[in-house]
Amino acid sequence: MVQKIGIDFGTTNSLISVVTRAGRVTSFDILGRPHPSVVRYESDQIICGKRAKDKLEQSGIGVLGNTVRGPKKLLGSSVINLDGRLMSPIEVVTDYIRYLVGHARKEDEEQSADLTNAVVTIPVAMGGKERQALREALLNAGVYVETFVHEPLAALYGYFKDRADPQEALRRFEGKMLLVFDWGGGTLDLTLCKVVDGAILQILNRGNNKVGGDYIDDAILRYVEQKHAEQHGWNDETKLERHPGMSAKLLEQCERAKIILSTHEKTNIFVPDYYQGTGDVTEIDIWLTRDDLENVCKRLINQGIGEIDALLDTQQADIDKQTIALCLATGGMVNMPSIKRQLSELFGIASLEISAKGDRIISEGAAWIAADGLRLTLSKPFELLEARNSMLTVIPEGTLLPRRGESIRYPQSMYCTDPRDGNALISFKRPQMVGKSAAADPRTNYGELIVPINPAFPPLEERIEIEVSIDDNLIVHVSGLGLDMAARRHAEFYDLEFGLAVATAEVAQKKKRLKLTGQGRLPYGLLPRANITPDKNGWALVPGELLKSYNDAHPYLKQTMTDMQREEFVRYQPCSRCGSRWAKNCCKDLRHELSNKD
């Protein structure tokens, strides 16, 4: 059977893996390492991978002359300028994917891989526009994306598949919290997961693209140049100019030194003819110790480790680190001794697992997902907030998410309970924790959709048609239309949490309505107040002062007021004597204050 492939398209490096009868096969470069994500254009020649990286003339991420380093970070941009050649990032990514697939085809002597169908990993923070662009680039390169999957989730599945008995390993972690800490060259991604009935469900995600290993390599380079300048007593006037292309060579040496210092106390960085001129002053010859490295990288490392607290110590989670049964650390950065030490202090040696396959576990995890035919599911219900804080489940948890060429859609009719400002406010939420969707459980906000409606209509009169859909890029599209104003509005959300399904049975599509009660059930701060309901007769949801006006104007259609509505009506009535709507300024209080003075 020809197997589909897993692709880890990274900012710094990329890999293709496939599961065959003989085991896992990963398409490394000639040095047995992942392929650098670099594309270079020389007249009509396209150079990719290590050859392109070796030709770099400067350090950094993005467009560097006629070369693009880390083209994934440019997805979503409209056009880039490569030495006068205008190209779209999609074209650049297409060229790079063709190179990856071509290399994999040469490596696959048995032709056991279907190189046209793939499970592709993405960072947790990759936006909808970038996902669409990536799918287009892969399609242009002849690769169909069966599904996207978050990189840490793929790594976690790869970890379980590496166990002697994957199912037993899953059973051992049943009901427990798992954290994937994936720190690579371009991004740091964190995913908090839970094993529920043998399925891996995401609870919370967090990403930071400002602390990747590439930034640390740049910091090392600046430190080495500064040490060289101090050795030779340079200042801004006496400093020599670099030879073209030498900055990239030094950057490669800095990256190598970072790897060596994971297992050694010191290493030498030597680059001849770095500066223009003659003599020893032109060559870089610096000894770098592990302590030097940790001091240089201290700020970035602390910022990265701090992302764990930012994920676990929020109102959304508030999880004790000691309850984390497994912290799976992947990516090239986690081999740095200072990072290992801090992770061990946070989670303990028993819970910390530093992956020995950190450079390939994501692509292999994606390949296993492809080989096992796993489907992604929705970890938490997608909910709609009604008036007076009732919640309506639009898409239930456990719903199978679309694969290539598929989409799912959920229409919903609503009515506006308070049309006076001409807007129906539709707010979308999800429970903060997996399996915690009762009325008393706190929620996290996706965002809002504001639909224009006719303010002259009575409450519960104008119908609003809402549609929620999820496409094969795992983007939620919501649209709303007030049938009288006929002005359609749209919004998109891409920060869904996923699960890896162990069964393919369809989940019963049951919609639930919950009444949220008590304080703190929604995020703190000033919140927009929803004014919609699916209940055409939901008069109890209409504001009291508005219902009183409606009853006065329509005595034959008069609706019964609840105690809360009577209270609202009285609260907003002005004083009959002074007209004040605020008790502190009311004439009664003023008279009372004067009598006390007398």
Side-chain angles (χ1 to χ4, degrees):
M1 177 181 176
V2 177
Q3 294 285 14
K4 298 171 185 175
I5 57 175
I7 299 180
D8 174 19
F9 173 49
T11 302
T12 306
N13 298 297
S14 301
L15 274 176
I16 289 178
S17 293
V18 64
V19 176
T20 67
R21 295 185 186 89
R24 283 139 294 179
V25 177
T26 300
S27 175
F28 289 112
D29 69 10
I30 57 174
L31 296 180
R33 297 180 59 187
H35 299 265
S37 300
V38 185
V39 186
R40 182 180 179 90
Y41 295 90
E42 292 183 355
S43 61
D44 59 346
Q45 191 177 15
I46 303 171
I47 305 170
C48 298
K50 186 179 184 305
R51 284 182 58 217
K53 184 180 179 182
D54 290 343
K55 289 174 173 284
L56 276 173
E57 297 176 357
Q58 54 185 304
S59 61
I61 294 290
V63 179
L64 308 170
N66 63 351
T67 304
V68 179
R69 186 175 183 221
K72 184 168 75 171
K73 282 203 170 185
L74 299 177
L75 285 171
S77 304
S78 56
V79 67
I80 54 178
N81 189 332
L82 287 158
D83 268 359
R85 179 189 299 192
L86 298 181
M87 297 183 67
S88 75
I90 292 176
E91 293 178 89
V92 178
V93 173
T94 298
D95 289 335
Y96 182 73
I97 296 298
R98 284 185 180 131
Y99 157 77
L100 273 186
V101 171
H103 186 277
R105 185 167 282 119
K106 292 177 183 177
E107 294 291 303
D108 186 16
E109 297 176 355
E110 299 178 3
Q111 298 297 303
S112 58
D114 179 2
L115 295 168
T116 63
N117 291 271
V119 170
V120 179
T121 64
I122 56 175
V124 297
M126 177 175 266
K129 185 177 181 181
E130 290 78 8
R131 295 182 197 184
Q132 292 168 332
L134 179 56
R135 180 181 288 273
E136 182 179 343
L138 285 155
L139 183 60
N140 292 343
V143 178
Y144 296 95
V145 180
E146 292 298 312
T147 187
F148 288 121
V149 64
H150 286 150
E151 291 167 356
L153 191 59
L156 187 56
Y157 191 69
Y159 166 82
F160 279 114
K161 293 298 288 190
D162 275 339
R163 303 306 95 189
D165 186 342
Q167 291 300 319
E168 175 58 32
L170 278 169
R171 282 192 291 272
R172 184 162 57 89
F173 287 105
E174 178 68 32
K176 297 180 180 179
M177 295 287 189
L178 317 174
L179 177 68
V180 183
F181 185 82
D182 175 29
W183 200 344
T187 59
L188 167 63
D189 282 347
L190 291 90
T191 288
L192 183 67
C193 297
K194 188 174 184 179
V195 180
V196 179
D197 295 331
I200 304 171
L201 304 180
Q202 288 178 315
I203 298 175
L204 291 171
N205 294 316
R206 188 175 179 88
N208 187 330
N209 61 3
K210 299 296 184 183
V211 295
D214 293 333
Y215 292 96
I216 288 180
D217 295 342
D218 288 337
I220 299 170
L221 181 146
R222 291 192 296 270
Y223 173 80
V224 169
E225 287 189 336
Q226 180 61 32
K227 291 291 290 183
H228 181 85
E230 291 173 0
Q231 286 179 358
H232 296 282
W234 285 357
N235 55 40
D236 291 341
E237 295 180 358
T238 59
K239 183 178 179 180
L240 298 177
E241 295 292 327
R242 304 182 192 90
H243 276 296
M246 298 308 293
S247 201
K249 293 187 183 303
L250 177 56
L251 188 67
E252 186 174 359
Q253 289 294 310
C254 292
E255 182 182 359
R256 172 181 163 275
K258 181 181 68 178
I259 296 171
I260 290 175
L261 290 175
S262 296
T263 53
H264 295 73
E265 287 298 324
K266 65 178 182 177
T267 187
N268 180 250
I269 295 178
F270 179 73
V271 181
D273 296 324
Y274 188 76
Y275 291 104
Q276 298 178 14
T278 58
D280 294 343
V281 71
T282 64
E283 65 185 25
I284 295 286
D285 189 2
I286 299 292
W287 280 94
L288 190 69
T289 69
R290 183 179 291 180
D291 288 341
D292 292 333
L293 177 64
E294 293 191 3
N295 288 331
V296 169
C297 307
K298 185 176 181 179
R299 182 185 63 83
L300 285 169
I301 290 174
N302 288 342
Q303 188 177 344
I305 295 294
E307 291 293 322
I308 295 174
D309 288 332
L311 180 78
L312 300 182
D313 296 345
T314 57
Q315 289 176 0
Q316 289 94 328
D318 191 21
I319 292 172
D320 187 344
K321 298 177 186 65
Q322 300 307 310
T323 64
I324 303 295
L326 170 69
C327 174
L328 176 64
T330 72
M333 289 297 299
V334 299
N335 290 310
M336 290 185 65
S338 62
I339 295 177
K340 284 184 179 180
R341 183 175 63 251
Q342 292 189 60
L343 289 175
S344 180
E345 290 171 357
L346 287 173
F347 300 104
I349 296 175
S351 298
L352 179 63
E353 178 76 28
I354 304 288
S355 175
K357 303 168 67 175
D359 60 350
R360 62 188 187 277
I361 192 170
I362 292 175
S363 67
E364 289 190 1
W368 273 116
I369 291 171
D372 292 346
L374 294 190
R375 294 286 301 269
L376 288 182
T377 66
L378 193 63
S379 286
K380 304 173 184 176
F382 189 87
E383 300 173 326
L384 183 152
L385 180 65
E386 298 180 59
R388 299 198 190 278
N389 286 349
S390 292
M391 298 300 305
L392 174 68
T393 296
V394 179
I395 309 178
E397 70 271 24
T399 298
L400 292 176
L401 295 173
R403 292 179 292 194
R404 176 169 60 92
E406 299 175 347
S407 66
I408 54 177
R409 56 185 293 273
Y410 294 80
Q412 179 69 53
S413 293
M414 307 294 286
Y415 299 91
C416 186
T417 62
D418 185 359
R420 288 174 293 178
D421 65 355
N423 289 311
L425 178 66
I426 308 164
S427 185
F428 299 96
K429 300 184 180 293
R430 63 184 180 273
Q432 290 178 359
M433 300 297 288
V434 167
K436 300 289 186 179
S437 58
D441 296 319
R443 260 65 180 175
T444 300
N445 197 44
Y446 279 115
E448 282 76 34
L449 181 69
I450 298 176
V451 178
I453 57 172
N454 192 334
F457 269 39
L460 301 172
E461 190 63 33
E462 181 166 359
R463 192 162 82 240
I464 303 147
E465 296 295 345
I466 300 169
E467 181 173 284
V468 179
S469 64
I470 303 179
D471 65 16
D472 54 2
N473 292 318
L474 306 178
I475 303 169
V476 180
H477 303 267
V478 297
S479 68
L481 173 71
L483 295 189
D484 184 68
M485 298 296 288
R488 187 175 292 278
R489 294 292 183 267
H490 302 269
E492 291 183 359
F493 311 115
Y494 60 86
D495 50 338
L496 294 173
E497 286 108 356
F498 309 130
L500 284 175
V502 292
T504 56
E506 292 286 348
V507 175
Q509 305 297 309
K510 295 181 180 178
K511 294 189 176 183
K512 295 187 296 183
R513 292 181 67 186
L514 301 168
K515 178 68 174 179
L516 301 189
T517 58
Q519 298 298 318
R521 301 311 176 197
L522 297 173
Y524 294 105
L526 183 63
L527 292 174
R529 182 169 177 173
N531 60 350
I532 54 173
T533 177
D535 186 357
K536 182 69 171 68
N537 297 310
W539 289 98
L541 302 175
V542 177
E545 75 280 7
L546 177 59
L547 183 56
K548 178 65 166 62
S549 299
Y550 175 84
N551 285 342
D552 290 346
H554 304 85
Y556 298 105
L557 300 174
K558 189 173 182 178
Q559 303 294 326
T560 303
M561 297 182 75
T562 66
D563 290 341
M564 180 184 291
Q565 288 170 317
R566 290 192 192 94
E567 200 175 298
E568 287 176 337
F569 165 68
V570 172
R571 183 187 307 148
Y572 290 107
Q573 292 307 299
C575 174
S576 59
R577 294 176 63 90
C578 67
S580 173
R581 292 178 180 270
W582 190 23
K584 185 177 180 181
N585 292 334
C586 182
C587 59
K588 295 177 183 177
D589 287 341
L590 291 173
R591 285 200 305 274
H592 180 67
E593 184 178 342
L594 289 172
S595 66
N596 285 341
K597 288 183 179 179
D598 293 337

